[in-house]
Amino acid sequence: MREQALAEVADATDLNALQALRVRYLGKKGELTRQLKGLGALPPDERRAAGASINALKEELEDALKRRREALEGEAVARQLESERLDVTLPGYGYPVGGLHLLTRVTNRLTDVFRSMGYDVVVGPELETDAYNFQKLNFPDEHPARDTQDTFWTEDGRLLRTHTSPMQVRYMLSHAPPFKIVVPGKVFRNEAVDATHEAMFHQIEALVVGEHITMADLHGAINQMARALFGPETKTRLLPTYFPFVEPGAEFAVWWKNPRTGRAGWLELGGCGMVHPNVFKAVGYEGVTGFAFGFGLERLAMVSYGVPDIRYFYGGDLRVLRQFRGEL
Ligand code: FA5
């Protein structure tokens, strides 16, 4: 019985089988228990030796059961560890990280510069009315200057704004001077798209209104902006030109040395001027003067970062976009 019991314990492959063996040999009605109970039937001189050997076998069996149980439990733990194995030294998965579009970065950079100069940043609607986009900016019906800003119209007579200037009117109608604001945003024109013209692009507009604001303040503001963007030695230039909503009006340019090419030249940014009296009349302002300027962001970004075609900004080509992920 000893050999059979020990062999069965050694062969048991799980804890249930071991428990069944324990019951069979050591349980209340088990084989060994039965033998112990049978001791009384033996002659007294044999009883002692038989009792000792049964007890020895009981201990041996208990010991074997215990060791087998520990071995089986150890195997179970090893199997679980194996199935949950995690190699923390394996390289991790790289998740793709998005970045801000170059034009978003340029916009943020500009609004930071203007905020540092005390301007508030405000935004306006892209779907505009003729009144705000043209009429109140001193473009009467049939005025030839409207032809320079053809756009897209909705069936109810509204239009996609052709510049950020309508926000001048909206802001003045709802605020009292003095103030300094900049307006970044999308604008639209019905253009034949080419390397330097898109049907949708971005402008940033500045408007400063108060008592005694002069052309010298305008030039000073443009200088300050240009120096913050391009460095303290930067020069600027104003050349007379016509916009209905300013008088006098000018186009402005900065003298700029391109760090990529090493070449210097005038970079024409946009338009500017003193707010036209008719615009102040349209919003009910009296006794104040002001200046405004506005320019295209794509133009600035193309020259600054060497982007040869405006269509790259909106093509969605990751090879282009990825080149501008770092700090500007
Ligand atoms: C204006 O839009 C005026 N609102 C600017 C202004 C503001 C003048 C305040 C005076 C006072 P203009 O039409 O020139 O002006 O456009 C300004 C700039 O927008 C241009 O210098 C150019 O950089 C950019 N731009 C114009 N058309 C396009 C286009 N189709 N694609 C990309 N950029 C354009």
Side-chain angles (χ1 to χ4, degrees), residues 137 148-149 162-166 168 187 189 191-192 196-206 243 245-246 249-250 268-273 291-300 310:
L137 287 172
T148 63
Q149 302 193 5
T162 58
H163 48 175
T164 41
S165 304
Q168 291 188 24
V187 301
R189 291 188 193 181
E191 296 274 14
T196 53
H197 294 83
E198 259 291 359
M200 182 206 80
F201 57 101
H202 293 78
Q203 289 186 342
I204 190 163
E205 182 102 2
F243 295 100
F245 41 96
V246 285
E268 275 173 22
L269 276 186
C272 65
F291 68 76
F293 59 91
F295 57 94
L297 293 186
E298 281 79 359
R299 181 77 190 280
L300 177 67
I310 194 170

Side-chain angles (χ1 to χ4, degrees), residues 150-321:
D150 189 18
T151 185
F152 306 95
W153 300 77
T154 58
E155 282 169 2
D156 64 5
R158 287 178 294 169
L159 53 94
L160 292 180
R161 67 177 176 188
T162 58
H163 48 175
T164 41
S165 304
M167 201 41 201
Q168 291 188 24
V169 178
R170 284 183 178 272
Y171 194 86
M172 287 193 279
L173 282 173
S174 55
H175 294 80
F179 59 77
K180 304 201 275 187
I181 56 164
V182 281
V183 189
K186 279 196 185 71
V187 301
F188 307 83
R189 291 188 193 181
N190 182 13
E191 296 274 14
V193 172
D194 63 21
T196 53
H197 294 83
E198 259 291 359
M200 182 206 80
F201 57 101
H202 293 78
Q203 289 186 342
I204 190 163
E205 182 102 2
L207 175 66
V208 174
V209 179
E211 286 177 28
H212 314 301
I213 301 284
T214 69
M215 194 94 185
D217 296 314
L218 167 61
H219 203 178
I222 286 175
N223 275 335
Q224 212 178 335
M225 172 191 76
R227 286 170 193 159
L229 285 176
F230 300 114
E233 304 302 319
T234 311
K235 289 182 293 185
T236 65
R237 173 183 83 173
L238 305 187
L239 292 180
T241 193
Y242 175 75
F243 295 100
F245 41 96
V246 285
E247 180 59 37
E251 63 175 46
F252 68 95
V254 294
W255 181 258
W256 180 72
K257 187 167 177 202
N258 187 325
R260 273 181 320 104
T261 63
R263 279 198 296 275
W266 289 109
L267 164 61
E268 275 173 22
L269 276 186
C272 65
M274 301 306 292
V275 178
H276 196 288
N278 285 352
V279 176
F280 281 144
K281 208 183 289 167
V283 299
Y285 275 15
E286 279 175 11
V288 288
T289 54
F291 68 76
F293 59 91
F295 57 94
L297 293 186
E298 281 79 359
R299 181 77 190 280
L300 177 67
M302 285 170 79
V303 180
S304 308
Y305 299 101
V307 179
D309 191 313
I310 194 170
R311 289 166 289 199
Y312 283 137
F313 289 123
Y314 306 110
D317 186 334
L318 290 176
R319 292 171 304 176
V320 174
L321 300 176

